[in-house]
Amino acid sequence: MSHSHLLPSKRQGENLSDDGASATKPARLKISIPSDDAEKKNVNKRLKDVEICVPIVYGTIAFYLGRKASESQSHKWTVYVRGASNEDLGAVIKKVVFQLHPSFNNPTRVIESPPFELSECGWGEFEIHITLFLHNDVCDKQLDLYHHLKLYPEDESGPQSTKKPVVVESYNEIVFPEPSDGFLARVLNHPAVIVPRLPAGLNLPSPMPIDTMNDKERGDTKDHPLSQWFLNFSEADELLKLAAARQQVQAHIVKLRRQLSLVEGLPQLPKPPSGYEAI
């Protein structure tokens, strides 16, 4: 199975707010999947100059179980992959494999339907290897993510709260250049998928249902019991940041123009006589 290239994501949790959640949003990094899949396996036509984007969030939420809990079972935590606004990712992701620490029973956990998550109890922090397997008409590559399970808040001046969890999340965007027409037709109006303006006169085939391993519920995860702790990755915040950055750039341009006008207003230095080089 071939692997796609994954840009390293910024781990969160260094700056925790009062509710235990990360106070800063992660940098938005894109996972770019090349479009040079094995075309012989793909009977669908690929669409030139079209790009599909699927924003995802992966992370962990950890609750301290209190002093009555045993030392080896001090925390209950959940690791997950979700849509940026809690949408169902089952239209794109076929299954997710979570590789836990070898000390857990059956450390390789396979989740074949949304929500793509698992919960465990333990006492130690470790890195979780998360592998995303996509549907056949999406891509024949797998995506590898790495997330560090964090159980303890940075501020350990007082006793850890049993009501406020430690939340660590990372945001990424899976980008599909030149998707198949079958994939595009299937996710054209899906809330978890961002589809740009399509070329005029584009004719798509009738959407085909995806093959599923079981018939578990595939509704969105907006009613998830942990959703109150999920971090917000709204576009409004990004637009505000872009507007502020644009203002800074414009101010810098004005400053450079002012400096340039001052330089142009200075008297020109006389040219050195021929045969001499300027020092």
Side-chain angles (χ1 to χ4, degrees), residues 20-256:
S22 173
T24 58
K25 292 175 61 177
R28 294 196 164 192
L29 304 176
K30 289 190 176 183
I31 310 168
S32 181
I33 301 179
S35 58
D36 58 351
D37 301 334
E39 294 296 333
K40 294 181 180 179
K41 296 181 181 180
N42 190 356
V43 298
N44 295 316
K45 181 180 67 174
R46 290 203 168 273
L47 303 175
K48 301 293 184 180
D49 301 323
V50 176
E51 190 174 84
I52 294 178
C53 177
V54 181
I56 66 169
V57 174
Y58 58 97
T60 50
I61 295 180
F63 285 89
Y64 175 54
L65 298 180
R67 296 180 178 180
K68 295 182 179 180
S70 64
E71 292 185 3
S72 62
Q73 305 286 316
S74 61
H75 290 76
K76 181 178 181 180
W77 51 265
T78 300
V79 59
Y80 50 85
V81 179
R82 64 178 179 88
S85 298
N86 305 337
E87 302 91 352
D88 174 17
L89 294 175
V92 179
I93 298 177
K94 185 177 183 179
K95 66 179 179 180
V96 176
V97 177
F98 297 95
Q99 186 65 44
L100 307 183
H101 192 272
S103 60
F104 284 88
N105 293 328
N106 183 25
T108 302
R109 310 289 178 87
V110 181
I111 309 299
E112 297 180 333
S113 64
F116 297 107
E117 65 179 38
L118 68 87
S119 297
E120 268 290 357
C121 290
W123 60 271
E125 300 180 347
F126 59 93
E127 187 173 65
I128 303 175
H129 180 193
I130 305 172
T131 305
L132 310 184
F133 291 86
L134 310 176
H135 288 290
N136 296 334
D137 65 343
V138 177
C139 181
D140 68 347
K141 302 178 186 297
Q142 67 187 48
L143 295 179
D144 293 306
L145 308 171
Y146 296 89
H147 180 79
H148 189 79
L149 170 64
K150 192 170 184 62
L151 304 181
Y152 304 94
E154 291 297 315
D155 183 11
E156 298 183 0
S157 58
Q160 187 171 358
S161 171
T162 58
K163 297 181 179 179
K164 298 178 181 179
V166 175
V167 183
V168 183
E169 292 191 329
S170 296
Y171 175 101
N172 272 287
E173 294 175 354
I174 310 177
V175 179
F176 301 96
E178 300 183 9
S180 68
D181 56 357
F183 174 36
L184 178 59
R186 191 163 56 75
V187 300
L188 187 58
N189 297 313
H190 197 286
V193 181
I194 299 175
V195 179
R197 181 177 297 179
L198 300 176
L202 178 63
N203 294 320
L204 296 176
S206 300
M208 297 294 292
I210 55 177
D211 295 329
T212 58
M213 296 295 293
N214 49 51
D215 294 327
K216 292 183 179 179
E217 292 185 4
R218 289 187 167 270
D220 64 32
T221 54
K222 292 186 181 298
D223 295 330
H224 195 285
L226 297 177
S227 61
Q228 63 174 314
W229 306 112
F230 289 160
L231 303 185
N232 182 23
F233 295 89
S234 67
E235 292 298 327
D237 292 339
E238 292 303 307
L239 291 176
L240 290 175
K241 287 185 178 181
L242 289 174
R246 187 180 297 110
Q247 290 179 351
Q248 291 181 350
V249 171
Q250 291 175 345
H252 189 59
I253 291 175
V254 170
K255 181 179 179 181
L256 290 177

Side-chain angles (χ1 to χ4, degrees), residues 249-278:
V249 171
Q250 291 175 345
H252 189 59
I253 291 175
V254 170
K255 181 179 179 181
L256 290 177
R257 285 178 176 173
R258 186 181 301 113
Q259 292 176 349
L260 182 60
S261 64
L262 293 175
V263 171
E264 291 177 345
L266 294 176
Q268 296 294 324
L269 295 176
K271 293 183 180 180
S274 59
Y276 291 87
E277 293 183 358

